[in-house]
Amino acid sequence: MTDKAGLKQELLQLEKDLAKAEQYYKDNKIVTFQDLGNQKLFTESQAPVRLLFGSNRSGKSVRGTVEEIAFCLGYRPWLPDDDPNRIVRLANGEPVRPPVRGYHLLENLKVAGTQVFIPKMEEWLPKGIAKIKKNNLGHPVSVIFNNGSIIHV
């Protein structure tokens, strides 16, 4: 009887631990990000201008979103601590030192802003790390990070 009770207690604790881990990854999806195909070259590049081209559904929006978040944080949360590309660097090799200001250019706020930009930011931003500010029409105007970094749209 004691073995059954102990096993039940162990399973209940395991269920709690799994729920906690699941919630962590749900709230911090960015830690699960992985570059697709040649996107690793984008991450590794020290070029002053980096462009990402691809066909529909090739990951351009997601890759751009997580890189914007990383730039605002100063590091790439999905890379291990000992990875040389974890620290986001400027073209001259200097590390990015938040807070930073950036601009996300969109074709238009109504479609690209509300149907692509906001959903991607909401999906990949770690919970509680930033707030998406919208205008009175519900279109994004900025992402304000707790560390003072801002992405203007």
Side-chain angles (χ1 to χ4, degrees), residues 46-117:
Q46 292 294 311
V49 175
R50 294 180 296 153
L51 302 174
L52 194 59
F53 294 96
S55 60
N56 289 343
R57 314 242 352 116
S58 64
K60 299 179 302 294
S61 295
V62 170
R63 188 64 187 86
T65 299
V66 297
E67 192 67 13
E68 282 181 314
I69 294 168
F71 206 87
C72 289
L73 297 175
Y75 67 97
R76 295 180 178 97
W78 61 92
L79 294 176
D81 290 342
D82 61 347
D83 190 303
N85 293 308
R86 181 171 169 90
I87 301 298
V88 179
R89 298 190 180 278
L90 300 170
N92 66 3
E94 291 289 318
V96 170
R97 298 197 196 297
V100 299
R101 289 184 184 253
Y103 294 88
H104 184 99
L105 304 178
L106 298 169
E107 191 173 338
N108 64 58
L109 286 176
K110 187 175 182 181
V111 178
T114 58
Q115 294 178 12
V116 180
F117 180 77

Coordinates of all heavy atoms in Angstrom, one line a residue, residues 46-117:
Q46 N 28.6 39.6 -39.2 CA 28.9 40.8 -38.6 C 28.8 42.0 -39.6 O 29.3 43.1 -39.3 CB 30.4 40.8 -38.1 CG 30.6 39.8 -37.0 CD 29.9 40.2 -35.7 OE1 30.0 41.3 -35.3 NE2 29.1 39.3 -35.1
A47 N 28.0 41.8 -40.7 CA 27.9 42.8 -41.7 C 27.1 44.0 -41.1 O 26.2 43.8 -40.2 CB 27.1 42.3 -42.9
P48 N 27.4 45.2 -41.5 CA 26.6 46.4 -41.0 C 25.1 46.3 -41.4 O 24.3 46.9 -40.7 CB 27.3 47.6 -41.6 CG 28.2 47.0 -42.7 CD 28.4 45.6 -42.4
V49 N 24.8 45.7 -42.5 CA 23.4 45.5 -43.0 C 23.2 44.1 -43.2 O 24.0 43.5 -44.0 CB 23.1 46.4 -44.2 CG1 21.7 46.1 -44.7 CG2 23.3 47.8 -44.0
R50 N 22.2 43.5 -42.6 CA 21.9 42.1 -42.8 C 20.5 42.0 -43.4 O 19.6 42.6 -42.9 CB 22.0 41.3 -41.5 CG 23.4 41.2 -41.0 CD 23.4 40.4 -39.7 NE 22.7 41.0 -38.7 CZ 22.1 40.4 -37.6 NH1 22.2 39.1 -37.5 NH2 21.4 41.1 -36.7
L51 N 20.4 41.3 -44.5 CA 19.1 41.1 -45.2 C 18.7 39.7 -45.2 O 19.5 38.8 -45.3 CB 19.1 41.7 -46.6 CG 19.6 43.1 -46.8 CD1 19.7 43.5 -48.2 CD2 18.6 44.1 -46.1
L52 N 17.4 39.4 -45.1 CA 16.9 38.1 -45.0 C 15.9 37.9 -46.1 O 14.8 38.6 -46.1 CB 16.3 37.8 -43.7 CG 15.9 36.4 -43.3 CD1 17.2 35.5 -43.3 CD2 15.3 36.4 -41.9
F53 N 16.2 37.1 -47.1 CA 15.3 36.9 -48.3 C 14.8 35.5 -48.2 O 15.5 34.6 -47.7 CB 16.0 37.1 -49.6 CG 16.4 38.5 -49.8 CD1 17.7 38.9 -49.5 CD2 15.6 39.4 -50.3 CE1 18.1 40.2 -49.7 CE2 16.0 40.8 -50.5 CZ 17.3 41.1 -50.2
G54 N 13.5 35.2 -48.7 CA 13.0 33.9 -48.7 C 11.6 33.9 -49.3 O 11.0 34.9 -49.5
S55 N 11.2 32.7 -49.6 CA 9.8 32.6 -50.2 C 8.8 32.7 -49.1 O 9.1 32.8 -47.9 CB 9.7 31.2 -50.9 OG 10.0 30.2 -49.9
N56 N 7.5 32.6 -49.5 CA 6.4 32.6 -48.5 C 6.6 31.5 -47.5 O 7.0 30.4 -47.8 CB 5.1 32.4 -49.2 CG 4.7 33.7 -50.0 OD1 5.2 34.7 -49.8 ND2 3.7 33.5 -50.9
R57 N 6.3 31.8 -46.2 CA 6.4 30.8 -45.1 C 7.8 30.2 -44.9 O 7.9 29.1 -44.5 CB 5.3 29.7 -45.3 CG 4.0 30.3 -45.7 CD 2.8 30.0 -44.9 NE 2.9 29.2 -43.7 CZ 2.7 29.6 -42.5 NH1 2.5 30.8 -42.2 NH2 2.8 28.7 -41.5
S58 N 8.8 31.0 -45.2 CA 10.2 30.5 -45.0 C 10.8 30.9 -43.7 O 11.9 30.6 -43.4 CB 11.1 30.9 -46.2 OG 11.2 32.3 -46.2
G59 N 10.1 31.6 -42.9 CA 10.5 32.0 -41.6 C 11.1 33.4 -41.5 O 11.7 33.7 -40.5
K60 N 10.9 34.2 -42.5 CA 11.5 35.6 -42.5 C 10.9 36.4 -41.3 O 11.7 37.1 -40.6 CB 11.2 36.3 -43.8 CG 11.8 35.7 -45.0 CD 11.5 36.4 -46.3 CE 10.0 36.6 -46.5 NZ 9.2 35.4 -46.8
S61 N 9.6 36.4 -41.1 CA 9.0 37.2 -40.1 C 9.4 36.8 -38.7 O 9.7 37.6 -37.8 CB 7.5 37.2 -40.2 OG 7.1 37.8 -41.4
V62 N 9.4 35.5 -38.5 CA 9.8 34.9 -37.2 C 11.3 35.2 -36.9 O 11.6 35.7 -35.8 CB 9.6 33.4 -37.1 CG1 10.2 32.8 -35.8 CG2 8.1 33.1 -37.1
R63 N 12.1 35.0 -37.9 CA 13.6 35.3 -37.7 C 13.8 36.7 -37.4 O 14.6 37.1 -36.6 CB 14.4 34.8 -39.0 CG 15.9 34.9 -38.7 CD 16.2 33.9 -37.6 NE 17.6 34.0 -37.2 CZ 18.1 34.8 -36.3 NH1 17.3 35.7 -35.8 NH2 19.3 34.8 -36.0
G64 N 13.1 37.6 -38.2 CA 13.3 39.0 -37.9 C 12.8 39.4 -36.6 O 13.4 40.2 -35.9
T65 N 11.7 38.9 -36.1 CA 11.1 39.2 -34.8 C 12.0 38.8 -33.7 O 12.3 39.6 -32.8 CB 9.7 38.5 -34.7 OG1 8.9 39.0 -35.7 CG2 9.1 38.8 -33.3
V66 N 12.6 37.6 -33.7 CA 13.4 37.1 -32.6 C 14.7 37.9 -32.6 O 15.3 38.1 -31.6 CB 13.6 35.6 -32.6 CG1 12.3 34.8 -32.4 CG2 14.4 35.1 -33.9
E67 N 15.2 38.3 -33.8 CA 16.5 39.1 -33.8 C 16.2 40.5 -33.3 O 17.1 41.0 -32.6 CB 17.0 39.2 -35.2 CG 18.4 39.7 -35.3 CD 19.5 38.8 -34.7 OE1 19.2 37.6 -34.4 OE2 20.6 39.3 -34.5
E68 N 15.1 41.1 -33.5 CA 14.7 42.4 -33.0 C 14.7 42.3 -31.4 O 15.2 43.1 -30.7 CB 13.4 42.9 -33.5 CG 13.4 43.5 -34.8 CD 12.0 43.9 -35.3 OE1 11.0 43.2 -35.1 OE2 12.0 45.1 -35.8
I69 N 14.0 41.2 -30.9 CA 14.0 41.0 -29.5 C 15.4 40.9 -28.9 O 15.7 41.5 -27.9 CB 13.0 39.8 -29.2 CG1 11.6 40.1 -29.6 CG2 13.1 39.5 -27.7 CD1 10.7 38.9 -29.6
A70 N 16.2 40.0 -29.6 CA 17.5 39.8 -29.1 C 18.3 41.1 -29.1 O 19.1 41.4 -28.1 CB 18.2 38.8 -30.0
F71 N 18.2 41.9 -30.1 CA 18.9 43.2 -30.2 C 18.5 44.1 -29.0 O 19.4 44.7 -28.4 CB 18.6 43.9 -31.5 CG 19.7 44.8 -32.0 CD1 20.8 44.3 -32.7 CD2 19.7 46.1 -31.7 CE1 21.8 45.1 -33.1 CE2 20.7 47.0 -32.1 CZ 21.8 46.5 -32.8
C72 N 17.2 44.1 -28.7 CA 16.8 44.9 -27.6 C 17.2 44.4 -26.2 O 17.4 45.1 -25.3 CB 15.2 45.0 -27.6 SG 14.6 46.0 -29.0
L73 N 17.4 43.1 -26.1 CA 17.9 42.5 -24.9 C 19.4 42.5 -24.8 O 20.0 42.5 -23.7 CB 17.5 41.0 -24.8 CG 15.9 40.8 -24.7 CD1 15.6 39.3 -24.8 CD2 15.4 41.4 -23.5
G74 N 20.1 42.5 -26.0 CA 21.6 42.4 -26.0 C 22.1 41.0 -26.1 O 23.3 40.8 -26.1
Y75 N 21.2 40.1 -26.1 CA 21.7 38.7 -26.2 C 20.6 37.8 -26.9 O 19.4 38.2 -26.9 CB 22.1 38.1 -24.9 CG 20.9 37.9 -23.9 CD1 20.2 36.7 -23.8 CD2 20.4 39.0 -23.2 CE1 19.2 36.5 -23.0 CE2 19.3 38.8 -22.3 CZ 18.7 37.6 -22.2 OH 17.6 37.5 -21.4
R76 N 21.0 36.7 -27.4 CA 20.0 35.8 -28.1 C 19.7 34.7 -27.1 O 20.5 33.7 -26.8 CB 20.6 35.2 -29.3 CG 20.9 36.3 -30.4 CD 21.5 35.7 -31.7 NE 21.7 36.7 -32.6 CZ 22.8 37.4 -32.8 NH1 23.9 37.1 -32.1 NH2 22.9 38.3 -33.7
P77 N 18.5 34.7 -26.5 CA 18.1 33.8 -25.4 C 18.0 32.3 -25.8 O 18.1 31.4 -25.0 CB 16.7 34.3 -25.0 CG 16.5 35.6 -25.6 CD 17.4 35.7 -26.7
W78 N 17.9 32.1 -27.1 CA 17.8 30.7 -27.6 C 19.2 30.0 -27.7 O 19.3 28.8 -27.9 CB 17.1 30.6 -28.9 CG 17.7 31.3 -30.0 CD1 18.6 30.8 -30.9 CD2 17.5 32.7 -30.4 NE1 18.9 31.8 -31.8 CE2 18.3 33.0 -31.5 CE3 16.8 33.7 -29.9 CZ2 18.4 34.2 -32.1 CZ3 16.8 35.0 -30.5 CH2 17.6 35.2 -31.6
L79 N 20.3 30.8 -27.6 CA 21.6 30.2 -27.8 C 22.2 29.9 -26.4 O 22.0 30.7 -25.4 CB 22.5 31.1 -28.6 CG 22.2 31.3 -30.0 CD1 23.1 32.3 -30.7 CD2 22.2 30.0 -30.8
P80 N 23.0 28.9 -26.3 CA 23.6 28.5 -25.0 C 24.6 29.7 -24.5 O 25.1 30.4 -25.4 CB 24.4 27.3 -25.3 CG 24.0 26.8 -26.6 CD 23.3 27.9 -27.3
D81 N 24.8 29.8 -23.2 CA 25.6 30.8 -22.7 C 27.0 30.9 -23.3 O 27.6 31.9 -23.4 CB 25.7 30.7 -21.2 CG 24.4 31.0 -20.4 OD1 23.6 31.7 -21.0 OD2 24.3 30.6 -19.3
D82 N 27.5 29.7 -23.6 CA 28.9 29.7 -24.2 C 29.0 29.8 -25.7 O 30.1 29.8 -26.2 CB 29.6 28.4 -23.7 CG 28.9 27.1 -24.2 OD1 27.8 27.2 -24.7 OD2 29.5 26.0 -24.2
D83 N 27.9 30.0 -26.3 CA 27.9 30.2 -27.8 C 28.4 31.6 -28.1 O 28.0 32.6 -27.5 CB 26.5 30.1 -28.4 CG 26.4 30.0 -29.9 OD1 26.9 31.0 -30.5 OD2 25.9 29.1 -30.4
P84 N 29.4 31.7 -29.0 CA 30.0 33.1 -29.3 C 29.0 34.0 -30.0 O 29.2 35.2 -29.9 CB 31.1 32.7 -30.3 CG 30.9 31.4 -30.8 CD 30.1 30.7 -29.8
N85 N 27.9 33.5 -30.5 CA 26.9 34.4 -31.1 C 25.7 34.7 -30.1 O 24.8 35.4 -30.5 CB 26.3 33.7 -32.3 CG 27.3 33.6 -33.4 OD1 27.9 34.6 -33.8 ND2 27.5 32.4 -33.9
R86 N 25.8 34.3 -28.9 CA 24.8 34.6 -27.9 C 24.7 36.1 -27.7 O 23.6 36.7 -27.6 CB 25.0 33.9 -26.6 CG 23.9 34.2 -25.6 CD 23.9 33.3 -24.4 NE 23.1 33.7 -23.3 CZ 21.8 33.3 -23.1 NH1 21.3 32.5 -24.0 NH2 21.1 33.8 -22.1
I87 N 25.8 36.8 -27.6 CA 25.9 38.2 -27.4 C 25.7 38.9 -28.7 O 26.4 38.5 -29.7 CB 27.2 38.7 -26.8 CG1 27.5 38.0 -25.4 CG2 27.3 40.2 -26.7 CD1 26.5 38.3 -24.4
V88 N 24.7 39.8 -28.8 CA 24.4 40.5 -30.1 C 25.5 41.6 -30.2 O 25.8 42.3 -29.3 CB 23.0 41.1 -30.1 CG1 22.8 41.9 -31.4 CG2 22.0 40.1 -29.9
R89 N 26.1 41.6 -31.4 CA 27.2 42.5 -31.6 C 26.9 43.5 -32.8 O 26.2 43.1 -33.7 CB 28.5 41.8 -31.9 CG 28.9 40.9 -30.7 CD 30.3 40.3 -30.9 NE 30.6 39.5 -29.7 CZ 31.1 40.0 -28.6 NH1 31.3 41.3 -28.4 NH2 31.3 39.2 -27.6
L90 N 27.5 44.7 -32.7 CA 27.4 45.6 -33.8 C 28.4 45.2 -34.9 O 29.2 44.3 -34.7 CB 27.8 47.0 -33.3 CG 26.8 47.6 -32.1 CD1 27.4 48.8 -31.5 CD2 25.5 47.8 -32.7
A91 N 28.4 45.9 -36.0 CA 29.2 45.5 -37.1 C 30.7 45.7 -36.8 O 31.5 44.9 -37.3 CB 28.9 46.4 -38.3
N92 N 31.0 46.5 -35.8 CA 32.4 46.7 -35.4 C 32.9 45.7 -34.4 O 34.0 45.7 -33.9 CB 32.7 48.1 -34.9 CG 31.9 48.4 -33.6 OD1 31.3 47.6 -33.0 ND2 32.0 49.7 -33.2
G93 N 32.0 44.8 -34.0 CA 32.3 43.7 -33.0 C 32.0 44.1 -31.6 O 32.0 43.2 -30.7
E94 N 31.6 45.3 -31.3 CA 31.3 45.7 -30.0 C 29.9 45.1 -29.6 O 29.0 45.1 -30.4 CB 31.2 47.2 -29.9 CG 32.5 48.0 -30.0 CD 33.3 47.8 -28.8 OE1 32.8 47.8 -27.6 OE2 34.5 47.6 -28.9
P95 N 29.7 44.7 -28.4 CA 28.4 44.2 -28.0 C 27.4 45.3 -27.9 O 27.7 46.4 -27.6 CB 28.7 43.6 -26.6 CG 30.0 44.0 -26.1 CD 30.7 44.6 -27.3
V96 N 26.2 44.9 -28.2 CA 25.0 45.8 -28.1 C 24.8 46.1 -26.6 O 24.7 45.1 -25.9 CB 23.8 45.3 -28.8 CG1 22.6 46.1 -28.5 CG2 24.0 45.2 -30.3
R97 N 24.6 47.3 -26.3 CA 24.4 47.6 -24.9 C 23.0 48.3 -24.7 O 22.9 49.5 -25.0 CB 25.5 48.6 -24.3 CG 26.9 48.0 -24.4 CD 27.8 48.7 -23.5 NE 29.2 48.5 -23.8 CZ 29.9 47.3 -23.7 NH1 29.2 46.3 -23.3 NH2 31.2 47.2 -23.9
P98 N 22.0 47.5 -24.3 CA 20.7 48.1 -24.1 C 20.7 49.1 -23.0 O 21.6 49.1 -22.2 CB 19.9 46.9 -23.7 CG 20.6 45.7 -24.1 CD 22.1 46.1 -24.1
P99 N 19.9 50.1 -23.1 CA 18.7 50.2 -23.9 C 19.1 50.7 -25.3 O 20.0 51.5 -25.5 CB 17.8 51.2 -23.2 CG 18.7 52.0 -22.4 CD 19.8 51.2 -22.0
V100 N 18.4 50.2 -26.3 CA 18.6 50.6 -27.7 C 17.2 51.1 -28.3 O 16.2 50.8 -27.7 CB 19.1 49.4 -28.6 CG1 20.5 49.0 -28.1 CG2 18.2 48.3 -28.6
R101 N 17.3 51.8 -29.4 CA 16.1 52.2 -30.1 C 16.2 51.7 -31.5 O 17.3 51.8 -32.1 CB 16.0 53.7 -30.2 CG 15.6 54.3 -28.8 CD 15.4 55.8 -28.9 NE 15.1 56.3 -27.6 CZ 13.9 56.6 -27.2 NH1 12.9 56.6 -28.0 NH2 13.7 57.1 -26.0
G102 N 15.2 51.1 -32.0 CA 15.2 50.6 -33.4 C 13.9 50.9 -34.1 O 12.9 51.4 -33.5
Y103 N 13.9 50.7 -35.4 CA 12.7 50.9 -36.2 C 12.3 49.7 -37.0 O 13.2 49.1 -37.6 CB 12.9 52.1 -37.1 CG 13.1 53.4 -36.4 CD1 14.4 53.8 -36.0 CD2 12.1 54.2 -36.1 CE1 14.6 54.9 -35.2 CE2 12.2 55.4 -35.4 CZ 13.5 55.7 -34.9 OH 13.7 56.9 -34.2
H104 N 11.1 49.3 -36.9 CA 10.6 48.2 -37.7 C 9.7 48.8 -38.8 O 8.6 49.4 -38.5 CB 9.7 47.3 -36.8 CG 9.3 46.0 -37.5 ND1 9.9 44.8 -37.4 CD2 8.2 45.8 -38.4 CE1 9.3 43.9 -38.2 NE2 8.2 44.5 -38.7
L105 N 10.1 48.7 -40.0 CA 9.4 49.3 -41.1 C 8.4 48.3 -41.7 O 8.7 47.1 -41.9 CB 10.4 49.7 -42.2 CG 11.5 50.7 -41.8 CD1 12.4 51.0 -43.0 CD2 10.9 51.9 -41.2
L106 N 7.2 48.8 -41.9 CA 6.1 47.9 -42.4 C 5.5 48.6 -43.7 O 5.5 49.8 -43.8 CB 5.0 47.8 -41.4 CG 5.3 47.2 -40.1 CD1 4.2 47.4 -39.1 CD2 5.6 45.7 -40.3
E107 N 5.0 47.7 -44.5 CA 4.4 48.3 -45.7 C 3.1 49.1 -45.4 O 2.9 50.1 -45.9 CB 4.0 47.1 -46.7 CG 3.5 47.5 -48.0 CD 3.3 46.4 -48.9 OE1 3.8 45.3 -48.7 OE2 2.5 46.6 -49.9
N108 N 2.4 48.6 -44.4 CA 1.3 49.4 -43.8 C 0.9 48.8 -42.5 O 1.1 47.7 -42.2 CB 0.1 49.4 -44.8 CG -0.5 48.0 -45.0 OD1 -0.9 47.3 -44.0 ND2 -0.6 47.5 -46.2
L109 N 0.4 49.7 -41.6 CA 0.1 49.3 -40.2 C -1.1 48.4 -40.2 O -1.1 47.5 -39.4 CB -0.2 50.6 -39.4 CG 1.1 51.4 -39.0 CD1 0.6 52.6 -38.2 CD2 2.0 50.6 -38.2
K110 N -2.1 48.7 -41.0 CA -3.4 48.0 -40.9 C -3.2 46.5 -41.2 O -3.6 45.6 -40.4 CB -4.4 48.6 -41.8 CG -5.8 48.0 -41.6 CD -6.8 48.6 -42.5 CE -8.2 48.1 -42.3 NZ -9.2 48.7 -43.1
V111 N -2.5 46.1 -42.2 CA -2.4 44.7 -42.6 C -1.1 44.1 -42.0 O -1.2 43.2 -41.1 CB -2.4 44.5 -44.1 CG1 -2.2 43.1 -44.5 CG2 -3.7 45.0 -44.7
A112 N 0.1 44.6 -42.4 CA 1.3 44.1 -41.9 C 1.5 44.2 -40.4 O 2.0 43.4 -39.7 CB 2.5 44.7 -42.6
G113 N 1.0 45.4 -39.9 CA 1.1 45.6 -38.4 C 0.3 44.8 -37.6 O 0.7 44.1 -36.6
T114 N -1.0 44.7 -37.9 CA -2.0 44.0 -37.1 C -2.0 42.5 -37.4 O -2.4 41.7 -36.5 CB -3.4 44.6 -37.2 OG1 -3.8 44.6 -38.5 CG2 -3.4 46.0 -36.6
Q115 N -1.7 42.1 -38.6 CA -1.9 40.7 -39.0 C -0.5 39.9 -38.9 O -0.6 38.7 -38.9 CB -2.5 40.6 -40.4 CG -3.9 41.1 -40.4 CD -4.5 41.0 -41.8 OE1 -3.9 40.4 -42.7 NE2 -5.6 41.6 -42.0
V116 N 0.6 40.6 -38.9 CA 1.9 39.9 -38.9 C 2.7 40.4 -37.7 O 3.1 39.6 -36.8 CB 2.7 40.1 -40.2 CG1 4.0 39.4 -40.1 CG2 1.9 39.7 -41.4
F117 N 3.0 41.7 -37.6 CA 3.9 42.2 -36.6 C 3.4 41.9 -35.2 O 4.1 41.3 -34.4 CB 4.1 43.7 -36.8 CG 5.1 44.3 -35.7 CD1 6.4 44.1 -35.8 CD2 4.6 45.0 -34.7 CE1 7.3 44.6 -34.9 CE2 5.4 45.6 -33.7 CZ 6.8 45.4 -33.9

